[in-house]
Short mmCIF file of all heavy atoms in Angstrom, two decimals:
data_model
loop_
_atom_site.label_atom_id
_atom_site.label_comp_id
_atom_site.label_asym_id
_atom_site.label_seq_id
_atom_site.Cartn_x
_atom_site.Cartn_y
_atom_site.Cartn_z
N MET A 1 54.83 110.68 -71.62
CA MET A 1 53.61 110.21 -72.29
C MET A 1 53.96 109.15 -73.33
O MET A 1 54.89 109.35 -74.10
CB MET A 1 52.91 111.38 -72.99
CG MET A 1 52.05 112.19 -72.05
SD MET A 1 50.72 112.99 -72.90
CE MET A 1 51.65 114.17 -73.86
N PRO A 2 53.23 108.08 -73.32
CA PRO A 2 53.51 107.02 -74.30
C PRO A 2 52.99 107.37 -75.68
O PRO A 2 52.07 108.17 -75.84
CB PRO A 2 52.76 105.82 -73.74
CG PRO A 2 51.69 106.38 -72.87
CD PRO A 2 52.20 107.70 -72.37
N LEU A 3 53.62 106.75 -76.64
CA LEU A 3 53.25 106.97 -78.03
C LEU A 3 52.40 105.80 -78.50
O LEU A 3 52.80 104.65 -78.38
CB LEU A 3 54.54 107.04 -78.85
CG LEU A 3 54.48 107.54 -80.28
CD1 LEU A 3 54.05 108.98 -80.33
CD2 LEU A 3 55.85 107.39 -80.90
N TYR A 4 51.22 106.12 -78.99
CA TYR A 4 50.34 105.07 -79.46
C TYR A 4 50.27 105.09 -80.98
O TYR A 4 50.32 106.14 -81.60
CB TYR A 4 48.95 105.24 -78.89
CG TYR A 4 48.89 104.99 -77.41
CD1 TYR A 4 48.68 106.02 -76.52
CD2 TYR A 4 49.04 103.70 -76.93
CE1 TYR A 4 48.62 105.79 -75.16
CE2 TYR A 4 48.99 103.46 -75.57
CZ TYR A 4 48.78 104.51 -74.69
OH TYR A 4 48.72 104.27 -73.36
N GLU A 5 50.16 103.90 -81.52
CA GLU A 5 50.07 103.80 -82.96
C GLU A 5 48.64 103.47 -83.36
O GLU A 5 48.02 102.58 -82.79
CB GLU A 5 51.01 102.70 -83.45
CG GLU A 5 51.10 102.67 -84.95
CD GLU A 5 52.13 101.67 -85.43
OE1 GLU A 5 52.87 101.12 -84.60
OE2 GLU A 5 52.19 101.43 -86.64
N TYR A 6 48.15 104.21 -84.31
CA TYR A 6 46.78 104.00 -84.79
C TYR A 6 46.79 103.69 -86.27
O TYR A 6 47.71 104.06 -86.99
CB TYR A 6 45.94 105.25 -84.53
CG TYR A 6 45.51 105.38 -83.09
CD1 TYR A 6 46.30 106.06 -82.18
CD2 TYR A 6 44.32 104.84 -82.67
CE1 TYR A 6 45.92 106.18 -80.86
CE2 TYR A 6 43.91 104.95 -81.35
CZ TYR A 6 44.72 105.63 -80.45
OH TYR A 6 44.33 105.75 -79.16
N ARG A 7 45.73 103.03 -86.65
CA ARG A 7 45.60 102.72 -88.06
C ARG A 7 44.17 103.05 -88.47
O ARG A 7 43.22 102.68 -87.80
CB ARG A 7 45.89 101.25 -88.31
CG ARG A 7 45.85 100.90 -89.77
CD ARG A 7 46.41 99.50 -89.97
NE ARG A 7 46.13 99.08 -91.33
CZ ARG A 7 45.00 98.50 -91.70
NH1 ARG A 7 44.08 98.24 -90.81
NH2 ARG A 7 44.81 98.15 -92.94
N CYS A 8 44.06 103.73 -89.58
CA CYS A 8 42.75 104.14 -90.08
C CYS A 8 42.10 102.99 -90.84
O CYS A 8 42.73 102.34 -91.66
CB CYS A 8 42.91 105.36 -90.97
SG CYS A 8 41.38 105.83 -91.79
N ASP A 9 40.85 102.76 -90.52
CA ASP A 9 40.11 101.71 -91.22
C ASP A 9 39.79 102.12 -92.65
O ASP A 9 39.67 101.29 -93.53
CB ASP A 9 38.80 101.44 -90.50
CG ASP A 9 38.92 100.25 -89.58
OD1 ASP A 9 39.91 99.51 -89.71
OD2 ASP A 9 38.04 100.06 -88.74
N GLY A 10 39.61 103.40 -92.83
CA GLY A 10 39.17 103.89 -94.14
C GLY A 10 40.25 103.81 -95.20
O GLY A 10 40.04 103.24 -96.27
N CYS A 11 41.42 104.37 -94.90
CA CYS A 11 42.45 104.47 -95.93
C CYS A 11 43.69 103.65 -95.60
O CYS A 11 44.59 103.54 -96.41
CB CYS A 11 42.83 105.94 -96.13
SG CYS A 11 43.68 106.66 -94.73
N GLY A 12 43.73 103.10 -94.41
CA GLY A 12 44.86 102.26 -94.06
C GLY A 12 46.06 103.04 -93.56
O GLY A 12 47.12 102.47 -93.31
N GLU A 13 45.89 104.33 -93.39
CA GLU A 13 46.98 105.17 -92.91
C GLU A 13 47.37 104.77 -91.49
O GLU A 13 46.51 104.50 -90.64
CB GLU A 13 46.53 106.64 -92.93
CG GLU A 13 47.51 107.60 -92.31
CD GLU A 13 48.65 107.94 -93.26
OE1 GLU A 13 48.76 107.31 -94.32
OE2 GLU A 13 49.42 108.84 -92.94
N ARG A 14 48.66 104.74 -91.24
CA ARG A 14 49.14 104.47 -89.88
C ARG A 14 49.81 105.72 -89.37
O ARG A 14 50.61 106.34 -90.07
CB ARG A 14 50.13 103.31 -89.89
CG ARG A 14 49.44 102.00 -90.21
CD ARG A 14 50.45 100.93 -90.42
NE ARG A 14 51.02 100.51 -89.14
CZ ARG A 14 51.56 99.32 -88.94
NH1 ARG A 14 51.64 98.46 -89.91
NH2 ARG A 14 52.05 99.01 -87.78
N PHE A 15 49.51 106.04 -88.13
CA PHE A 15 50.12 107.23 -87.55
C PHE A 15 50.24 107.05 -86.05
O PHE A 15 49.60 106.19 -85.45
CB PHE A 15 49.31 108.48 -87.90
CG PHE A 15 47.86 108.40 -87.50
CD1 PHE A 15 47.43 109.00 -86.33
CD2 PHE A 15 46.95 107.74 -88.28
CE1 PHE A 15 46.10 108.94 -85.96
CE2 PHE A 15 45.60 107.66 -87.92
CZ PHE A 15 45.18 108.26 -86.75
N GLU A 16 51.11 107.86 -85.48
CA GLU A 16 51.36 107.75 -84.06
C GLU A 16 50.87 108.98 -83.33
O GLU A 16 50.95 110.10 -83.85
CB GLU A 16 52.85 107.55 -83.80
CG GLU A 16 53.33 106.23 -84.32
CD GLU A 16 54.84 106.13 -84.33
OE1 GLU A 16 55.51 107.16 -84.47
OE2 GLU A 16 55.34 105.01 -84.19
N VAL A 17 50.37 108.75 -82.15
CA VAL A 17 49.82 109.85 -81.36
C VAL A 17 50.34 109.76 -79.94
O VAL A 17 50.37 108.69 -79.35
CB VAL A 17 48.27 109.77 -81.32
CG1 VAL A 17 47.69 110.97 -80.61
CG2 VAL A 17 47.69 109.66 -82.72
N LEU A 18 50.77 110.89 -79.45
CA LEU A 18 51.17 110.94 -78.05
C LEU A 18 49.93 111.12 -77.21
O LEU A 18 49.20 112.09 -77.35
CB LEU A 18 52.12 112.12 -77.82
CG LEU A 18 53.59 111.83 -78.00
CD1 LEU A 18 54.38 113.13 -77.87
CD2 LEU A 18 54.09 110.85 -76.97
N GLN A 19 49.69 110.16 -76.34
CA GLN A 19 48.50 110.24 -75.51
C GLN A 19 48.84 109.90 -74.08
O GLN A 19 49.84 109.28 -73.79
CB GLN A 19 47.47 109.24 -76.00
CG GLN A 19 46.80 109.63 -77.29
CD GLN A 19 45.68 108.67 -77.59
OE1 GLN A 19 45.89 107.49 -77.72
NE2 GLN A 19 44.48 109.19 -77.67
N ARG A 20 47.95 110.32 -73.25
CA ARG A 20 48.11 109.93 -71.86
C ARG A 20 47.68 108.48 -71.70
O ARG A 20 46.88 107.97 -72.48
CB ARG A 20 47.23 110.81 -70.97
CG ARG A 20 48.04 111.92 -70.31
CD ARG A 20 47.14 112.92 -69.68
NE ARG A 20 47.15 114.15 -70.46
CZ ARG A 20 46.16 115.01 -70.50
NH1 ARG A 20 45.08 114.80 -69.82
NH2 ARG A 20 46.26 116.10 -71.20
N MET A 21 48.19 107.84 -70.69
CA MET A 21 47.82 106.46 -70.39
C MET A 21 46.30 106.33 -70.30
O MET A 21 45.64 107.11 -69.64
CB MET A 21 48.42 106.02 -69.06
CG MET A 21 49.87 105.66 -69.15
SD MET A 21 50.05 104.01 -69.85
CE MET A 21 51.77 103.75 -69.53
N GLY A 22 45.77 105.35 -70.98
CA GLY A 22 44.36 105.06 -70.86
C GLY A 22 43.46 105.87 -71.77
O GLY A 22 42.26 105.66 -71.79
N GLU A 23 44.06 106.79 -72.51
CA GLU A 23 43.24 107.57 -73.42
C GLU A 23 42.89 106.74 -74.65
O GLU A 23 43.69 105.96 -75.13
CB GLU A 23 44.00 108.83 -73.85
CG GLU A 23 43.32 110.10 -73.38
CD GLU A 23 44.09 111.32 -73.82
OE1 GLU A 23 45.31 111.35 -73.69
OE2 GLU A 23 43.44 112.25 -74.29
N GLY A 24 41.70 106.92 -75.13
CA GLY A 24 41.24 106.13 -76.26
C GLY A 24 41.29 106.92 -77.56
O GLY A 24 41.84 108.01 -77.60
N PRO A 25 40.71 106.35 -78.58
CA PRO A 25 40.72 106.99 -79.90
C PRO A 25 39.68 108.09 -80.04
O PRO A 25 39.58 108.71 -81.10
CB PRO A 25 40.41 105.82 -80.84
CG PRO A 25 39.60 104.88 -80.03
CD PRO A 25 40.10 105.02 -78.61
N GLN A 26 38.91 108.33 -78.99
CA GLN A 26 37.89 109.36 -79.08
C GLN A 26 38.52 110.71 -79.39
O GLN A 26 39.47 111.12 -78.73
CB GLN A 26 37.10 109.47 -77.76
CG GLN A 26 36.21 108.28 -77.48
CD GLN A 26 36.97 107.14 -76.84
OE1 GLN A 26 38.09 107.33 -76.40
NE2 GLN A 26 36.38 105.97 -76.80
N GLY A 27 38.00 111.36 -80.37
CA GLY A 27 38.51 112.69 -80.73
C GLY A 27 39.64 112.65 -81.73
O GLY A 27 40.03 113.68 -82.24
N LEU A 28 40.17 111.46 -81.99
CA LEU A 28 41.24 111.37 -82.97
C LEU A 28 40.67 111.23 -84.37
O LEU A 28 39.63 110.61 -84.57
CB LEU A 28 42.12 110.16 -82.67
CG LEU A 28 42.97 110.22 -81.42
CD1 LEU A 28 43.75 108.93 -81.27
CD2 LEU A 28 43.91 111.39 -81.47
N THR A 29 41.36 111.79 -85.30
CA THR A 29 40.96 111.62 -86.69
C THR A 29 42.18 111.26 -87.52
O THR A 29 43.30 111.63 -87.19
CB THR A 29 40.33 112.90 -87.26
OG1 THR A 29 41.23 113.98 -87.06
CG2 THR A 29 39.00 113.22 -86.58
N CYS A 30 41.93 110.57 -88.57
CA CYS A 30 43.00 110.19 -89.48
C CYS A 30 43.56 111.43 -90.15
O CYS A 30 42.81 112.25 -90.67
CB CYS A 30 42.45 109.22 -90.52
SG CYS A 30 43.59 108.90 -91.86
N PRO A 31 44.89 111.59 -90.12
CA PRO A 31 45.50 112.79 -90.73
C PRO A 31 45.41 112.78 -92.24
O PRO A 31 45.66 113.79 -92.89
CB PRO A 31 46.95 112.71 -90.25
CG PRO A 31 47.19 111.28 -89.96
CD PRO A 31 45.87 110.70 -89.52
N ARG A 32 45.06 111.66 -92.78
CA ARG A 32 45.03 111.54 -94.23
C ARG A 32 43.63 111.77 -94.80
O ARG A 32 43.42 112.62 -95.65
CB ARG A 32 45.52 110.16 -94.62
CG ARG A 32 45.83 110.00 -96.08
CD ARG A 32 46.46 108.65 -96.25
NE ARG A 32 46.84 108.36 -97.60
CZ ARG A 32 47.27 107.16 -97.98
NH1 ARG A 32 47.35 106.19 -97.11
NH2 ARG A 32 47.61 106.95 -99.21
N CYS A 33 42.66 110.99 -94.28
CA CYS A 33 41.31 111.11 -94.84
C CYS A 33 40.33 111.75 -93.88
O CYS A 33 39.21 112.07 -94.25
CB CYS A 33 40.82 109.73 -95.28
SG CYS A 33 40.39 108.64 -93.90
N GLY A 34 40.74 111.90 -92.64
CA GLY A 34 39.88 112.59 -91.69
C GLY A 34 38.85 111.72 -91.00
O GLY A 34 38.00 112.21 -90.27
N ALA A 35 38.93 110.43 -91.21
CA ALA A 35 37.97 109.53 -90.58
C ALA A 35 38.17 109.53 -89.06
O ALA A 35 39.29 109.67 -88.57
CB ALA A 35 38.16 108.12 -91.12
N ALA A 36 37.08 109.37 -88.35
CA ALA A 36 37.14 109.43 -86.90
C ALA A 36 37.43 108.06 -86.29
O ALA A 36 37.18 107.03 -86.91
CB ALA A 36 35.83 109.96 -86.36
N GLU A 37 37.95 108.11 -85.09
CA GLU A 37 38.22 106.93 -84.28
C GLU A 37 38.95 105.81 -85.03
O GLU A 37 38.40 104.77 -85.36
CB GLU A 37 36.89 106.39 -83.71
CG GLU A 37 36.24 107.42 -82.82
CD GLU A 37 35.33 106.79 -81.79
OE1 GLU A 37 35.35 105.54 -81.67
OE2 GLU A 37 34.64 107.52 -81.09
N PRO A 38 40.21 106.03 -85.24
CA PRO A 38 41.04 104.98 -85.84
C PRO A 38 41.26 103.84 -84.85
O PRO A 38 40.93 103.95 -83.68
CB PRO A 38 42.35 105.70 -86.14
CG PRO A 38 42.38 106.83 -85.17
CD PRO A 38 40.97 107.23 -84.93
N ARG A 39 41.77 102.77 -85.34
CA ARG A 39 42.03 101.62 -84.48
C ARG A 39 43.41 101.71 -83.88
O ARG A 39 44.38 102.00 -84.56
CB ARG A 39 42.00 100.32 -85.30
CG ARG A 39 40.64 99.86 -85.64
CD ARG A 39 40.79 98.68 -86.59
NE ARG A 39 39.48 98.34 -87.15
CZ ARG A 39 38.62 97.52 -86.53
NH1 ARG A 39 38.96 96.97 -85.39
NH2 ARG A 39 37.46 97.25 -87.06
N ARG A 40 43.48 101.38 -82.62
CA ARG A 40 44.80 101.41 -81.98
C ARG A 40 45.54 100.11 -82.29
O ARG A 40 45.00 99.02 -82.17
CB ARG A 40 44.66 101.56 -80.48
CG ARG A 40 46.01 101.74 -79.82
CD ARG A 40 45.92 101.68 -78.34
NE ARG A 40 45.36 102.92 -77.80
CZ ARG A 40 45.20 103.11 -76.49
NH1 ARG A 40 45.54 102.19 -75.65
NH2 ARG A 40 44.68 104.23 -76.06
N GLN A 41 46.78 100.26 -82.64
CA GLN A 41 47.63 99.09 -82.87
C GLN A 41 48.40 98.79 -81.59
O GLN A 41 48.33 99.53 -80.62
CB GLN A 41 48.62 99.37 -83.99
CG GLN A 41 47.98 99.81 -85.28
CD GLN A 41 47.14 98.71 -85.90
OE1 GLN A 41 45.93 98.74 -85.84
NE2 GLN A 41 47.79 97.74 -86.46
N LEU A 42 49.12 97.71 -81.61
CA LEU A 42 49.95 97.40 -80.46
C LEU A 42 50.97 98.51 -80.29
O LEU A 42 51.61 98.92 -81.25
CB LEU A 42 50.69 96.08 -80.68
CG LEU A 42 49.83 94.84 -80.47
CD1 LEU A 42 50.66 93.60 -80.77
CD2 LEU A 42 49.31 94.76 -79.05
N SER A 43 51.12 98.96 -79.10
CA SER A 43 52.05 100.06 -78.87
C SER A 43 53.46 99.61 -79.21
O SER A 43 53.90 98.54 -78.84
CB SER A 43 51.97 100.53 -77.43
OG SER A 43 52.02 99.43 -76.56
N THR A 44 54.15 100.49 -79.92
CA THR A 44 55.48 100.13 -80.42
C THR A 44 56.47 99.92 -79.30
O THR A 44 57.30 99.04 -79.34
CB THR A 44 55.99 101.22 -81.37
OG1 THR A 44 55.67 102.49 -80.82
CG2 THR A 44 55.34 101.08 -82.72
N PHE A 45 56.36 100.76 -78.30
CA PHE A 45 57.38 100.66 -77.25
C PHE A 45 57.22 99.39 -76.44
O PHE A 45 58.19 98.85 -75.91
CB PHE A 45 57.35 101.90 -76.34
CG PHE A 45 56.16 101.95 -75.42
CD1 PHE A 45 56.25 101.43 -74.13
CD2 PHE A 45 54.96 102.51 -75.83
CE1 PHE A 45 55.16 101.49 -73.28
CE2 PHE A 45 53.87 102.56 -74.99
CZ PHE A 45 53.97 102.05 -73.71
N ALA A 46 56.01 98.87 -76.39
CA ALA A 46 55.80 97.64 -75.63
C ALA A 46 56.30 96.44 -76.41
O ALA A 46 56.78 95.47 -75.85
CB ALA A 46 54.33 97.48 -75.31
N ALA A 47 56.19 96.52 -77.74
CA ALA A 47 56.57 95.40 -78.57
C ALA A 47 58.08 95.37 -78.80
O ALA A 47 58.66 94.33 -79.06
CB ALA A 47 55.86 95.47 -79.90
N ALA A 48 58.72 96.51 -78.65
CA ALA A 48 60.14 96.60 -78.97
C ALA A 48 61.02 96.20 -77.79
O ALA A 48 62.22 96.05 -77.94
CB ALA A 48 60.49 98.02 -79.39
N GLY A 49 60.41 96.01 -76.66
CA GLY A 49 61.19 95.67 -75.47
C GLY A 49 61.95 94.37 -75.65
O GLY A 49 61.37 93.34 -75.95
N SER A 50 63.24 94.41 -75.49
CA SER A 50 64.04 93.21 -75.68
C SER A 50 64.27 92.50 -74.36
O SER A 50 64.01 91.31 -74.21
CB SER A 50 65.38 93.58 -76.31
OG SER A 50 65.98 94.63 -75.59
N SER A 51 64.73 93.24 -73.39
CA SER A 51 65.04 92.61 -72.11
C SER A 51 64.19 93.22 -71.01
O SER A 51 64.66 93.42 -69.90
CB SER A 51 66.52 92.77 -71.79
OG SER A 51 66.85 94.13 -71.68
N ALA A 52 62.95 93.49 -71.35
CA ALA A 52 62.07 94.10 -70.35
C ALA A 52 61.28 93.01 -69.64
O ALA A 52 60.07 93.03 -69.57
CB ALA A 52 61.14 95.09 -71.01
N ASP A 53 61.99 92.05 -69.18
CA ASP A 53 61.33 90.95 -68.50
C ASP A 53 61.03 91.35 -67.07
O ASP A 53 61.86 91.26 -66.19
CB ASP A 53 62.26 89.73 -68.53
CG ASP A 53 61.45 88.45 -68.65
OD1 ASP A 53 60.43 88.45 -69.36
OD2 ASP A 53 61.83 87.46 -68.02
N GLY A 54 59.86 91.82 -66.87
CA GLY A 54 59.50 92.35 -65.56
C GLY A 54 59.35 91.29 -64.51
O GLY A 54 58.25 90.94 -64.09
N ALA A 55 60.44 90.79 -64.09
CA ALA A 55 60.40 89.80 -63.03
C ALA A 55 60.25 90.52 -61.69
O ALA A 55 61.23 90.90 -61.06
CB ALA A 55 61.67 88.95 -63.05
N SER A 56 59.03 90.68 -61.33
CA SER A 56 58.78 91.42 -60.10
C SER A 56 58.80 90.47 -58.91
O SER A 56 57.78 90.05 -58.40
CB SER A 56 57.44 92.13 -60.19
OG SER A 56 56.42 91.18 -60.43
N ARG A 57 59.99 90.14 -58.56
CA ARG A 57 60.08 89.23 -57.42
C ARG A 57 60.06 90.03 -56.13
O ARG A 57 60.81 90.97 -55.97
CB ARG A 57 61.35 88.39 -57.49
CG ARG A 57 62.55 89.17 -57.98
CD ARG A 57 63.73 88.23 -58.18
NE ARG A 57 64.71 88.78 -59.11
CZ ARG A 57 66.03 88.64 -58.92
NH1 ARG A 57 66.49 88.03 -57.88
NH2 ARG A 57 66.89 89.12 -59.81
N SER A 58 59.21 89.59 -55.27
CA SER A 58 59.06 90.32 -54.02
C SER A 58 60.31 90.17 -53.17
O SER A 58 60.94 89.12 -53.15
CB SER A 58 57.86 89.78 -53.24
OG SER A 58 57.96 88.37 -53.13
N ALA A 59 60.65 91.24 -52.54
CA ALA A 59 61.84 91.21 -51.69
C ALA A 59 61.69 90.14 -50.61
O ALA A 59 60.64 89.99 -50.00
CB ALA A 59 62.03 92.58 -51.04
N CYS A 60 62.74 89.40 -50.47
CA CYS A 60 62.69 88.27 -49.54
C CYS A 60 62.39 88.79 -48.13
O CYS A 60 63.27 89.26 -47.42
CB CYS A 60 64.02 87.54 -49.56
SG CYS A 60 63.88 85.78 -49.24
N ALA A 61 61.14 88.69 -47.78
CA ALA A 61 60.75 89.21 -46.47
C ALA A 61 61.12 88.20 -45.39
O ALA A 61 60.44 87.21 -45.20
CB ALA A 61 59.27 89.49 -46.45
N ALA A 62 62.19 88.50 -44.76
CA ALA A 62 62.62 87.59 -43.71
C ALA A 62 61.66 87.68 -42.53
O ALA A 62 61.35 88.77 -42.08
CB ALA A 62 64.03 87.95 -43.26
N PRO A 63 61.20 86.56 -42.07
CA PRO A 63 60.31 86.59 -40.90
C PRO A 63 61.02 87.17 -39.70
O PRO A 63 62.19 86.87 -39.45
CB PRO A 63 59.95 85.11 -40.67
CG PRO A 63 61.00 84.33 -41.39
CD PRO A 63 61.48 85.21 -42.52
N GLY A 64 60.34 87.99 -39.01
CA GLY A 64 60.91 88.80 -37.93
C GLY A 64 61.84 88.05 -36.99
O GLY A 64 61.81 86.83 -36.90
N GLY A 65 62.62 88.83 -36.31
CA GLY A 65 63.62 88.26 -35.42
C GLY A 65 63.01 87.28 -34.42
O GLY A 65 62.17 87.64 -33.61
N SER A 66 63.43 86.04 -34.57
CA SER A 66 62.91 85.05 -33.62
C SER A 66 63.84 85.03 -32.40
O SER A 66 64.72 84.20 -32.28
CB SER A 66 62.84 83.67 -34.26
OG SER A 66 64.08 83.39 -34.88
N GLY A 67 63.61 86.00 -31.54
CA GLY A 67 64.53 86.15 -30.41
C GLY A 67 64.19 85.24 -29.25
O GLY A 67 63.64 85.66 -28.25
N PHE A 68 64.54 84.00 -29.40
CA PHE A 68 64.30 83.12 -28.27
C PHE A 68 65.51 83.14 -27.34
O PHE A 68 66.63 83.33 -27.77
CB PHE A 68 63.97 81.69 -28.70
CG PHE A 68 65.02 81.09 -29.62
CD1 PHE A 68 66.12 80.45 -29.12
CD2 PHE A 68 64.85 81.18 -31.01
CE1 PHE A 68 67.05 79.90 -29.96
CE2 PHE A 68 65.78 80.63 -31.84
CZ PHE A 68 66.89 79.99 -31.33
N THR A 69 65.29 82.89 -26.12
CA THR A 69 66.35 82.99 -25.15
C THR A 69 66.82 81.62 -24.68
O THR A 69 66.02 80.78 -24.36
CB THR A 69 65.92 83.82 -23.92
OG1 THR A 69 64.66 83.37 -23.49
CG2 THR A 69 65.88 85.27 -24.24
ZN1 LIG B 101 42.23 107.51 -93.16
#
């Protein structure tokens, strides 16, 4: 499960929450002041990637055997 970082609009508290992919701030409250639905910050793990250059190059699909006689 990824770790999401949230920031409270009310008091400015920043905290991290383990959530499932795609889960929103619904139901979350600030641990400091109790305000509902904090703002999600950029996920730390995504920003910290140094060499995560996802070069998704498709495997060189060689065109089928051209078996001419
Ligand atoms: Zn707060």
Side-chain angles (χ1 to χ4, degrees):
M1 278 207 291
L3 192 65
Y4 291 110
E5 187 175 352
Y6 283 89
R7 183 169 169 273
C8 173
D9 262 347
C11 68
E13 174 80 352
R14 291 171 75 156
F15 55 99
E16 293 169 330
V17 185
L18 270 174
Q19 287 187 301
R20 261 169 252 153
M21 281 282 191
E23 244 180 314
Q26 290 83 13
L28 291 180
T29 54
C30 170
R32 193 173 181 188
C33 72
E37 299 205 8
R39 283 173 190 274
R40 186 189 284 181
Q41 305 294 104
L42 282 178
S43 48
T44 42
F45 72 94
S50 50
S51 62
D53 214 37
S56 57
R57 39 187 158 141
S58 52
C60 211
S66 49
F68 54 87
T69 48

